[in-house]
């Protein structure tokens, strides 16, 4: 019988191979980046964009703000490619990047909650899961053996998939979609 840790390692390895394939697309952009700019600078820039965006998502939600999510997501893909291409991967960068990702998704869910007058319980669950994931990332950063990251990775794949499917179903229900 396969353990959750072994399953997590397997998914994690597949995820790493996908990242390397994606990085090839970013090589031209990485090459034009000044040498002084590190992947952590890009992550910090993403984090600051999120901090600036958060009040607007919370108090003045607008569907056009989804563009900000995709801009930050693009920068997330870019900083990872820069880290791997320049061989500037660090433990701090790994956890700062993951935390920034969780913040970006949490703000997106806050935006969706505001746009939908908070009627979707699934969005609230997704937001709660992002908060829990952020706490786990923080705890992981102090671990000597990265076992927790495999469990978190599996939980993100399974739980987020189920919650996203639930959100689609719930949204479709409010829009009177016929599923079956």
């Amino acid at each position: 019988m396969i353990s959750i840790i072994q399953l997590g390692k397997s998914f994690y390895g597949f995820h790493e191979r996908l990242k390397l394939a994606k990085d090839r697309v970013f090589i031209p952009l990485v090459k034009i980046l000044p040498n002084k700019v590190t992947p952590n600078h890009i992550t910090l820039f993403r984090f600051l964009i999120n901090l600036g965006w958060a009040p607007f998502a919370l108090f003045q939600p607008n569907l056009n703000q989804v563009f900000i999510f995709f801009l930050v997501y693009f920068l997330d893909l870019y900083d990872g490619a820069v880290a791997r291409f320049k061989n500037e991967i660090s433990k701090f960068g790994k956890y700062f990047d993951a935390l920034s990702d969780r913040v970006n998704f949490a703000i997106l869910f806050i935006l969706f909650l505001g746009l939908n007058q908070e009627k979707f319980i699934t969005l609230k669950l997704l937001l709660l899961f992002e908060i829990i994931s952020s706490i786990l990332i923080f705890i992981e950063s102090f671990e000597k053996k990265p076992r927790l990251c495999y469990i978190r990775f599996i939980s993100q794949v399974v739980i987020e998939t189920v919650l996203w499917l639930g959100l689609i179903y719930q949204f479709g229900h409010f829009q009177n979609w016929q599923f079956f």
Side-chain angles (χ1 to χ4, degrees):
M1 177 146 177
I2 191 165
S3 74
I4 189 92
I5 303 251
Q6 291 169 323
L7 186 61
K9 284 181 180 179
S10 176
F11 275 122
Y12 193 77
F14 177 70
H15 184 257
E16 290 299 307
R17 287 191 300 279
L18 283 177
K19 281 197 286 191
L20 295 175
K22 173 228 12 130
D23 286 352
R24 285 186 229 129
V25 175
F26 283 92
I27 288 175
L29 290 173
V30 172
K31 287 182 178 180
I32 63 171
L33 189 70
N35 286 334
K36 292 187 283 186
V37 179
T38 68
N40 289 340
H41 290 139
I42 299 169
T43 304
L44 177 62
F45 182 61
R46 298 190 296 126
F47 195 75
L48 293 174
I49 290 172
N50 279 329
L51 290 181
W53 172 34
F56 292 99
L58 188 59
F59 299 114
Q60 295 177 341
N62 183 311
L63 192 57
N64 295 332
Q65 293 176 17
V66 171
F67 171 76
I68 298 169
F69 169 81
F70 285 112
L71 170 69
V72 172
Y73 188 73
F74 171 80
L75 291 172
D76 174 37
L77 298 175
Y78 187 50
D79 70 7
V82 170
R84 286 181 287 279
F85 186 78
K86 291 184 170 184
N87 200 22
E88 294 182 2
I89 298 169
S90 69
K91 185 175 179 178
F92 171 78
K94 177 182 172 185
Y95 292 111
F96 186 37
D97 180 73
L99 185 62
S100 296
D101 293 347
R102 303 288 41 103
V103 169
N104 193 34
F105 276 98
I107 295 171
L108 178 70
F109 299 143
I110 289 169
L111 172 67
F112 285 162
L113 279 169
L115 290 174
N116 293 294
Q117 293 83 41
E118 301 187 25
K119 57 184 162 186
F120 296 123
I121 186 68
T122 314
L123 278 171
K124 294 174 185 175
L125 292 173
L126 277 165
L127 182 58
L128 177 65
F129 183 72
E130 291 303 326
I131 292 168
I132 292 168
S133 288
S134 298
I135 292 167
L136 288 176
I137 289 167
F138 181 73
I139 293 168
E140 278 174 34
S141 67
F142 296 104
E143 272 192 325
K144 294 199 187 314
K145 293 182 181 178
R147 281 189 243 149
L148 191 57
C149 77
Y150 300 123
I151 295 168
R152 180 182 52 82
F153 189 77
I154 285 290
S155 70
Q156 280 182 256
V157 169
V158 173
I159 294 171
E160 284 189 12
T161 300
V162 168
L163 288 174
W164 274 106
L165 289 173
L167 179 63
I168 291 167
Y169 177 80
Q170 203 171 20
F171 180 75
H173 177 73
F174 278 100
Q175 299 297 321
N176 294 319
W177 293 350
Q178 296 298 319
F179 287 99
F180 300 103

